[in-house]
Amino acid sequence: MTAPLAPEALDAATLSVLLGSGAGSGPFDPEQELTFEQVEGAAHVWRVRPTPAVPRAGRPAPPNSLIVKFPPADDGVRAFKERLGLPAVEHALHGPDGVQGTALLRLPGLRGGGPAAAGVLVLDDMADGTLPPRPALSVADSERAVRALASFHARWWARIPDAWQWLPDEAAPARANFLVGTFGSAGLSALAEADWLPTEVRHGSARLAERAPALLRALSAPPLTVVHGDLHPANILFPADPAEPGIRVIDWEAATRSRGPVDLAFLIANSEADDDLELLDLYRRELAATVPGITADGLLSDYRRALLYYYLRRVALRAAYAGVPDDPAMRRVAAALVRHRAFDELDAL
């Protein structure tokens, strides 16, 4: 396997090569100085800005800013992503037949990609997007993101093209076996040491390990939509103009065909909003405008299951090598699991 390229080793000439066009013919002038800004909370995502330069005759003006992705440096995260084939999903989503955004949620287009083995992916010009200043989304930004998310989900709700079989669902064997197996072994062992978790969550974890396959099947049952699968603040860019609606979302390698509230659980876990049910009701109202048959009870049930999935996946991802993640997002979800009696959903699966 080719070793991942260290971001600090990248210069303009190397970037041109990674874009597949050779020195002097990529989006940046090979003599142009580049600066790198690490995206907060996402060590493998960087914004690249060139110093101002006059474009050469016959060449288009270079982009003002690119978002460049690198494989994560952490061996545990890399192994997890490679096991699930996530980089391949992202490349497919950015291909010519991949997902297109809506007026409110825009997907960045693939401007160029590096060697697949190295996992380098270069996305399009991000000059018009600003990253949130805090690890968690403000209430206003959360509402803005929920509206955009509902608009995007509505576009694909129960109408994902048959040709998109490369887009996995949560119950895909390789994906499900890894998540369920890791949670049931390393996860439960690590949870025994996580005394900061509410008692209800710790006691419910063994039941979740038992019913996890059924949970993943339920989240993979119609109606399905295209789900981002990792919707935290570092993956959301807001237009620089506050008056402009919508958001732009990067880092689609965890995308699946799933129930829409899966994305909502990830977003709410990273929100400063006190009342998650208000955001869930906003999501329902926005969906109901174009998607028939949406009910409050149905969405609440899917949301409770999505909270269980968030908890399951984060524990499975981290427990084997770093223990149970103790951070604000995990604590918010743990509190929501108790508040909404989410473990009761397991009895209905």
Side-chain angles (χ1 to χ4, degrees), residues 11-31 56 59 112-114:
D11 55 23
T14 307
L15 178 59
S16 293
V17 174
L18 289 174
L19 290 175
S21 52
S25 57
F28 295 122
D29 189 307
E31 298 179 358
R56 292 182 177 179
R59 294 186 60 198

Side-chain angles (χ1 to χ4, degrees), residues 112-269:
V120 177
L121 182 65
V122 181
L123 304 180
D124 76 342
D125 191 347
M126 294 292 180
D128 63 345
T130 59
L131 296 167
R134 296 177 301 278
L137 297 176
S138 67
V139 174
D141 282 346
S142 298
E143 293 175 351
R144 191 175 183 182
V146 166
R147 288 190 176 92
L149 185 65
S151 175
F152 177 78
H153 283 172
R155 173 167 184 171
W156 304 105
W157 201 276
R159 61 176 90 175
I160 301 174
D162 293 337
W164 288 11
Q165 295 304 310
W166 47 265
L167 184 64
D169 59 36
E170 302 299 344
R175 187 183 189 93
N177 292 343
F178 180 76
L179 289 176
V180 173
T182 305
F183 184 86
S185 55
L188 290 182
S189 298
L191 286 165
E193 306 297 325
D195 55 6
W196 54 269
L197 281 169
T199 301
E200 297 92 327
V201 173
R202 298 177 69 191
H203 287 174
S205 296
R207 176 66 171 155
L208 176 58
E210 176 187 342
R211 299 298 295 158
L215 172 68
L216 298 180
R217 287 194 297 270
L219 293 174
S220 302
L224 304 179
T225 188
V226 175
V227 167
H228 178 274
D230 196 15
L231 208 61
H232 56 75
N235 285 335
I236 302 174
L237 293 90
F238 292 86
D241 181 358
E244 182 181 341
I247 59 177
R248 180 174 285 194
V249 176
I250 63 172
D251 200 5
W252 285 82
E253 64 184 7
T256 61
R257 291 172 288 164
S258 188
R259 294 289 182 99
V262 166
D263 271 344
L264 200 63
F266 276 75
L267 190 151
I268 287 174

Side-chain angles (χ1 to χ4, degrees), residues 183 187 191 310-320 324-325 330:
F183 184 86
L191 286 165
Y310 178 95
Y311 173 70
L312 168 77
R313 200 176 93 174
R314 287 214 64 201
V315 171
L317 170 59
R318 293 282 302 279
V324 178
M330 194 65 162

